[in-house]
Amino acid sequence: MSVVFLNQKFIPSEEAKISPMDRGFLFGDGVYEVLPSYDGEIIGFDLHIDRLKTNMSAVGISLSWTHQKWLEICKTLIKKNGFGSLGVYLHVSRGPEPVRSHSYADGIDPTVFVFSFKIPPEQIVCKSQIVPYKVSTSLDLRWSRCQIKATSLLGNVMHLQQGQQNGFNETLLFNDKDELREGSTCNVYIVKNGVVITPPLDNHILPGITRCILLDLLLKDGSIGVEERIISKEEVFSATEVWITSSSKGVIPVVEVDGKLINDGEVGDIWLLAQKIYSAGKKNY
Ligand code: PDD
């Protein structure tokens, strides 16, 4: 039985209950974070809490908890759930109101829900052990505020589900000019002429914490070039490597896009080098 944190209390997951009038339930009116942790060590804690605070203020949810308070909740939850490789999900919804109305009143008490879930063990730094992804592509049919990590994820859910129903692990999303944005649950990269390229941040992609840490580590290491620029669909198909990143998955190589092999279906050398750099440095964030 797992332990969760709901409205200031650690309780067994079976006892967790929220009001059906909670705006998170009725409207998806909330924001969230997923933090990776390995044997109690959380990766990118401050970056995640900074992003949570940015998102709360973007949607007008007031909750002035300090980093220290969030840290204590995360650490206690990880301990109560037995350590290991855990994702920690932090959810702040605007809270319950007596009447359903799209607009909201001031001063609602936000609902804070935190739980943990198993994630794959610490990243494998070996080509033969990593399970690479096969992905599909789609026109991005989500909204134009994807920089906010909002709990209203129906657009992402539909994109991922459609890809998975057709046997793919992920769906890469493109704008109407066939320019790459991100995946339905991850950021995306290509490798071309030995350089790692990823789309620049804007309101159509999430500023991923794994992206932030990976790019910073690659820039500091200096052995692989890094570029943030627009990537066309043709460049994805002709790339020597394609990768995706997220907090719960790490850095995963992609060997097939819409049935077309990338790097002859083999995990690439640049991925292996980047994976080594990421694994060695990620705990410093
Ligand atoms: N998803 N883009 C989207 C749409 C995402 O949902 C995610 C992460 C990312 C990568 O962000 P980060 O590196 O901060 O995890 C990019 C999380 C893990 C989820 O929703 O479960």
Side-chain angles (χ1 to χ4, degrees):
M1 182 209 314
S2 66
V3 173
V4 302
F5 177 88
L6 181 64
N7 288 329
Q8 309 280 359
K9 282 194 202 113
F10 290 97
I11 52 174
S13 55
E14 291 81 352
E15 289 172 23
K17 291 184 176 55
I18 60 154
S19 164
M21 295 307 285
D22 194 289
R23 294 181 60 90
F25 181 67
L26 291 178
F27 295 108
D29 183 353
V31 294
Y32 76 106
E33 282 296 322
V34 175
L35 297 80
S37 74
Y38 302 99
D39 297 326
E41 209 166 335
I42 302 169
I43 310 301
F45 177 80
D46 286 325
L47 293 168
H48 280 281
I49 301 302
D50 285 345
R51 185 172 67 180
L52 179 66
K53 284 173 178 270
T54 300
N55 287 325
M56 284 195 289
S57 100
V59 302
I61 294 178
S62 313
L63 184 76
S64 51
W65 292 7
T66 60
H67 281 227
Q68 190 55 33
K69 172 149 182 155
W70 283 113
L71 186 62
E72 277 158 24
I73 293 167
C74 291
K75 293 235 155 179
T76 307
L77 190 88
I78 290 167
K79 190 171 169 198
K80 284 183 183 290
N81 286 301
F83 297 101
S85 302
L86 294 177
V88 179
Y89 176 91
L90 309 182
H91 173 119
V92 183
S93 80
R94 198 177 304 280
E97 280 191 304
V99 174
R100 178 185 177 273
S101 158
H102 285 60
S103 63
Y104 53 87
D106 287 336
I108 311 168
D109 239 0
T111 301
V112 178
F113 177 48
V114 186
F115 69 91
S116 67
F117 61 99
K118 284 206 164 46
I119 57 173
E122 276 235 62
Q123 279 263 346
I124 304 145
V125 189
C126 170
K127 280 191 192 181
S128 60
Q129 279 174 26
I130 191 88
V131 180
Y133 270 26
K134 296 178 180 183
V135 304
S136 57
T137 66
S138 170
L139 178 65
D140 188 356
L141 296 173
R142 304 171 302 164
W143 68 338
S144 298
R145 293 173 174 174
C146 291
Q147 82 281 15
I148 300 173
K149 200 163 171 62
T151 55
S152 36
L153 285 171
L154 190 55
N156 303 60
V157 166
M158 291 175 78
H159 277 308
L160 183 63
Q161 191 67 17
Q162 191 181 17
Q164 291 200 344
Q165 274 168 355
N166 292 321
F168 298 101
N169 304 102
E170 248 299 343
T171 308
L172 307 192
L173 304 173
F174 292 80
N175 68 14
D176 56 8
K177 291 189 212 143
D178 270 349
E179 294 165 347
L180 178 63
R181 285 183 172 163
E182 60 177 350
S184 66
T185 69
C186 54
N187 292 116
V188 185
Y189 311 73
I190 64 164
V191 176
K192 192 176 173 182
N193 301 323
V195 175
V196 179
I197 312 166
T198 195
L201 296 181
D202 65 11
N203 58 319
H204 296 294
I205 72 172
L206 187 79
I209 303 302
T210 320
R211 177 189 186 279
C212 168
I213 295 174
L214 177 66
L215 295 188
D216 195 49
L217 283 168
L218 293 182
L219 283 170
K220 281 182 180 145
D221 178 85
S223 50
I224 308 173
V226 174
E227 265 181 53
E228 289 176 67
R229 66 155 172 86
I230 290 168
I231 298 170
S232 69
K233 202 168 190 178
E234 294 82 70
E235 283 185 297
V236 174
F237 284 113
S238 62
T240 43
E241 297 185 25
V242 178
W243 316 334
I244 60 103
T245 65
S246 86
S247 295
S248 49
K249 302 181 191 90
V251 188
I252 304 274
V254 172
V255 293
E256 208 180 296
V257 180
D258 281 346
K260 186 192 172 299
L261 295 185
I262 304 294
N263 196 35
D264 295 326
E266 299 294 326
V267 174
D269 294 332
I270 307 285
W271 171 80
L272 184 61
L273 181 53
Q275 176 73 333
K276 283 182 182 157
I277 295 166
Y278 179 71
S279 297
K282 68 183 180 191
K283 291 193 174 161
N284 298 325
Y285 290 82

